[in-house]
Amino acid sequence: GAVVSQHPSRVICKSGTSVKIECRSLDFQATTMFWYRQFPKQSLMLMATSNEGSKATYEQGVEKDKFLINHASLTLSTLTVTSAHPEDSSFYICSARDGGAGDTQYFGPGTRLTVL
Amino acid sequence: DAKTTQPPSMDCAEGRAANLPCNHSTISGNEYVYWYRQIHSQGPQYIIHGLKNNETNEMASLIITEDRKSSTLILPHATLRDTAVYYCIVRVVSYGQNFVFGPGTRLSVLP
């Protein structure tokens, strides 16, 4: 199946700093990518939909100025957590739709963010 | 998208078939049934999907009832590495839409 990578897999940062997470589709082009967040023992919650070449669409309650999303190419989307705080500590997961495989979406391995 | 109901947890002996049920009684004619799983601290992994007919791939089989109100994911020979949370999702083909994850079924494969 199609492969989606994320980098870094784990990051620890101090409160107030910004963290960038990359999501790449390795063997297919993705016009749409999604960013999810998962807290311990909970299911994935959609944060935003990222469309190549246009502004991201954020879910209700997700601050667009805090979670900056850039989807500059068909294989790369980035999520930047600005001025991170301990409550932003979570597991961040991206997914990408393989346009050549119908509506099937493939997920990255996730990024564990810990804000001290 | 139609709502799904799955048991919160199941156990299965290693080497035996794992049968994971999913109820989707309000499914509409153009909604597909998708199965993903999430192993601890990893991103969800696509398993299989189908519309009406039963489907099989190298990972699993998907059995959809004739009325499409329920389905079963079958892992024919479960291994310890199949321990994960399994999500059943029904949705229309909608290229701009995300997948909505419920609580899923936590499958524990026991030695």
Side-chain angles (χ1 to χ4, degrees), chain B residues 3 8 10 13 25 30 56 59 65-66 69 76 81 104-105 107:
Chain B
K3 181 179 177 180
M10 292 181 63
S25 59
N30 60 347
T56 295
M59 289 184 66
T65 58
E66 191 170 345
K69 293 183 183 299
R81 287 175 295 180
T105 295
L107 175 68

Side-chain angles (χ1 to χ4, degrees), chain A residues 36 38 43 97 103 105 108, chain B residues 36 38 91 95 97 99 102:
Chain A
Y36 296 80
Q38 186 175 32
S43 193
R97 182 181 71 82
D103 193 33
Q105 293 181 18
Chain B
Y36 283 80
Q38 187 176 23
R91 54 174 276 143
Y95 299 116
Q97 294 297 313
F99 279 72

Side-chain angles (χ1 to χ4, degrees), chain B residues 28-77:
Chain B
S28 59
N30 60 347
E31 287 184 309
Y32 285 73
V33 180
Y34 285 82
W35 283 85
Y36 283 80
R37 73 180 182 183
Q38 187 176 23
I39 296 170
H40 183 62
S41 294
Q42 298 182 25
Q45 177 187 22
Y46 166 77
I47 301 174
I48 199 167
H49 75 285
L51 181 63
K52 296 180 181 179
N53 300 322
N54 298 336
E55 302 287 344
T56 295
N57 62 21
E58 64 278 4
M59 289 184 66
S61 295
L62 173 60
I63 308 298
I64 302 174
T65 58
E66 191 170 345
D67 63 7
R68 301 187 69 238
K69 293 183 183 299
S70 66
S71 61
T72 301
L73 178 74
I74 301 174
L75 307 178
H77 305 286

Side-chain angles (χ1 to χ4, degrees), chain A residues 47-49 55-65 67-70 79:
Chain A
M47 297 176 66
T49 301
K55 291 183 178 180
T57 303
Y58 291 82
E59 294 300 296
Q60 190 173 5
V62 178
E63 300 175 55
K64 63 179 182 180
D65 295 329
F67 299 98
L68 302 179
I69 292 174
N70 183 278
L79 168 68

